[in-house]
Amino acid sequence: MSDVAAPPGFIDRALRRVTSLWRDIASSAPGEGEGIATQMRACLDARGGEVSARSRAARLAQSYLAGDHAQRGEFLRALAGFDSDSAAVAKAWEAVAAAQDAEARATAKAKLRRVLEPPRLRLLTQFTTIPDGVKFLVELRADLMARMRGDAMLEALEADLRGLLASWFDVGFLELRRVDWSSPAELLEKLVQYEAVHRIRSWRDLKNRLDSDRRCYAFFHPRMPNEPLIFVEVALVEGMAANVQALLDEKAPLLDARVADTAVFYSINNCQRGLDGISFGNFLIKRVVELLSVEFRNLDCFATLSPIPGFRTWLEERLEAGDTTLLTEDEANALRAAAPPDLALVAPGVEAGKGDGESATQTLRRLIARRGWARVEATSKGLEPILLRACARYLLAESGRNPKRARDPVAHFHLSNGARVERLNWRGDTSEKGFRESCGLMVNYRYDPEKIEDYHESYAGEGKRAASPAVRKLAKGFV
């Protein structure tokens, strides 16, 4: 799973297709040569009626897209400057404090709410009147989030925009659609662009992912009908998949979906960077489970085959700290014996010697730092129990700043959606990315329709992480 923005330039290309239309709309707006702030003020004054307001909004959007990085920053700061009137807020607050009864207090509070609303909210809303205006605002927020860096005014603007988008993109307004090989080429191209978990390498690869034993579903918004917000790729298989390369093998025989007993969610991608923090994933998975349950009565297992993107970083941190709980001395001795004699490719700054005085953590560090260690059977066999145990601990016991939240972002996503950690898969992802992020491991999270709500409540309320007995046994001593 990934939370990912489109590739550089992709967004601008998508928006530029409507700039000619914006240009036609904007041509009726007066004020050529005016500064951005002046144009924004004219929009707020709303002179000339609805058509003029639409024209001015189109001019502003066009000005933003035509600007370079610095000019876009100036645009955003000008927009952020249209804040609430401090004097009016203070006066309204005094009226609330001075109210003598409930009726007067309610009236004063209503006025306070009105004056607290910054004029920039009205400006933002005006962009929705132009073609692709909602998409424009989504990308505007993506730009804002990249620029904030502690800038209080930009942070306030981003909070306002996030609130608007959260209400406009409520799941009740979204449409769930299946994407298949007969879908428009423009949409298929976007799947290729937005896929970040397991890159789509060719049209043949894409066709394989949309075949009869596969499913792909995406959420769309009525004001962005050709732009997926989030999509999930599903494989219909027999038994829970353990290796993503085998799952995506284009040469594998086609399975009759009617005999499949398991639906494997193997890639979930957020497509719009500007909608970060507005969650659709939990609703998407639950809706897809419902759809598949109706279409295929033979399915009795719904699970993911998920990456563990933070595992290797965490492991290296623990090794750097000399964490002696990661492996026993017997395991360390076995690894030394199993290590190939030409072990030389080590990470920068890691000791190269293998003398008797080397610690167990140094040995482990040196082994996983070598490219291709998994192809050395003895080394791989020695590392397997150690890394599986460490990974179970990482998923079930390790937290970030919030002690109730799993440190791994993908684990947090699925646990908060009501899944349980079902199984760890050795050599689940043998790609370079797989070893770089998780030492080649992958994990199955299982969604049991009868327990989803219970698991969700336990994790959201108490931070309890549901797991199968086998995985919990691996993490024994830490959970």
Side-chain angles (χ1 to χ4, degrees), residues 262-273:
T262 303
V264 174
F265 301 77
Y266 64 88
S267 183
I268 304 173
N269 291 270
N270 288 306
C271 307
Q272 310 298 327
R273 179 77 174 87

Side-chain angles (χ1 to χ4, degrees), residues 208 214 234-237 241-250 252 264-266 305:
N208 180 56
R214 299 288 190 267
V234 188
L236 304 174
V237 297
N243 176 275
V244 72
Q245 279 74 36
L247 191 70
L248 296 179
D249 184 2
E250 297 171 19
V264 174
F265 301 77
Y266 64 88
L305 181 60

Side-chain angles (χ1 to χ4, degrees), residues 197 275 409:
V197 182
L275 294 177

